[in-house]
Amino acid sequence: MKNFDIITLAPNTHDFPMYRHNIRKFQKYANTINYVISCNSHEKQTNQWYDIYLDTIKRDIPFCNFVEADYCVADHWKNCGLNLGVANCKSEYVLFLEPDLDIDADELFANDRLFNYDVITIPTKQNESYRLWPAFFMTKLELIKRTRLDFKE
C-alpha cells in the first residue's frame, strides 16, 4: 500500500460524530490526517462555545493535525482551507475526504489495486453524471501541486 495523507475540511459550526468514528479507521492507513477547521475569527471572539466545541472534537480525535482556516482573511472559505491542507501534506498521495461521507476504510483499503491509478474517486452523485463528486477524491500530491490549486466551487 502506498502512503497518503488525508485532508478534511469542516466548518467549526458542524460536528459529524459518525465521521469522527470513521476517521479512527482511516488513521491506521493514512500517514497524516489534516483536519482543517474553517472558522470566522470575528465570531470566535464573541462565541463562548467556539473553543468548548472545538476542544471536544480535538479530544476525541487527537491524532489529527488540526489546521485553522480563517475565512475572514480569505477570498473563498473552501479554497483557503483546502490550500492550507495541501500545504501540510507530505505523502505521495492525498485523499480529500468530506466529513459527511460515510465510507468504511477497512473495506476500501482491502482492495490491493486501489493505488494502481493516478486518480481514485467516487465517480458521481446519481443525478449529476456530468461531474466528479468531491466528497472522496484521491490523487498524487505532485499532480495537485501542478494545478492552479483553485478549489472554489
Side-chain angles (χ1 to χ4, degrees), residues 89-121:
C89 289
K90 295 171 181 53
S91 297
E92 182 180 5
Y93 281 81
V94 60
L95 169 58
F96 296 91
L97 187 62
E98 291 186 359
D100 58 349
L101 178 67
D102 185 16
I103 189 166
D104 187 309
D106 293 329
E107 183 179 321
L108 177 70
F109 294 111
N111 182 349
D112 294 336
R113 298 184 330 230
L114 183 64
F115 290 98
N116 289 348
Y117 306 96
D118 288 341
V119 175
I120 302 111
T121 187

Side-chain angles (χ1 to χ4, degrees), residues 94-97 119-122 132-139 144:
V94 60
L95 169 58
F96 296 91
L97 187 62
V119 175
I120 302 111
T121 187
I122 296 174
L132 292 176
W133 191 24
F136 181 98
F137 187 85
M138 180 184 275
T139 190
I144 292 293

Side-chain angles (χ1 to χ4, degrees), residues 11-143:
N12 68 316
T13 56
H14 291 73
D15 185 22
F16 301 92
M18 190 62 174
Y19 179 71
R20 288 190 272 131
H21 169 77
N22 288 341
I23 206 70
R24 286 185 198 90
K25 292 181 180 179
F26 277 93
Q27 176 193 13
K28 66 183 172 185
Y29 299 104
N31 290 337
T32 302
I33 299 171
N34 295 299
Y35 197 109
V36 182
I37 310 282
S38 178
C39 71
N40 177 331
S41 59
H42 303 299
E43 179 183 302
K44 182 178 177 180
Q45 295 168 2
T46 60
N47 185 344
Q48 65 181 356
W49 290 102
Y50 179 85
D51 289 329
I52 294 168
Y53 172 77
L54 190 54
D55 188 52
T56 300
I57 294 172
K58 288 181 176 182
R59 278 195 326 265
D60 192 33
I61 48 176
F63 50 84
C64 290
N65 175 39
F66 289 93
V67 180
E68 195 169 282
D70 183 357
Y71 60 79
C72 288
V73 297
D75 63 333
H76 188 275
W77 72 274
K78 192 170 192 175
N79 190 44
C80 172
L82 292 177
N83 271 289
L84 286 170
V86 168
N88 279 279
C89 289
K90 295 171 181 53
S91 297
E92 182 180 5
Y93 281 81
V94 60
L95 169 58
F96 296 91
L97 187 62
E98 291 186 359
D100 58 349
L101 178 67
D102 185 16
I103 189 166
D104 187 309
D106 293 329
E107 183 179 321
L108 177 70
F109 294 111
N111 182 349
D112 294 336
R113 298 184 330 230
L114 183 64
F115 290 98
N116 289 348
Y117 306 96
D118 288 341
V119 175
I120 302 111
T121 187
I122 296 174
T124 61
K125 289 184 177 181
Q126 289 181 341
N127 61 343
E128 297 179 350
S129 60
Y130 57 88
R131 60 173 256 192
L132 292 176
W133 191 24
F136 181 98
F137 187 85
M138 180 184 275
T139 190
K140 291 183 176 181
L141 182 59
E142 70 177 69
L143 295 177

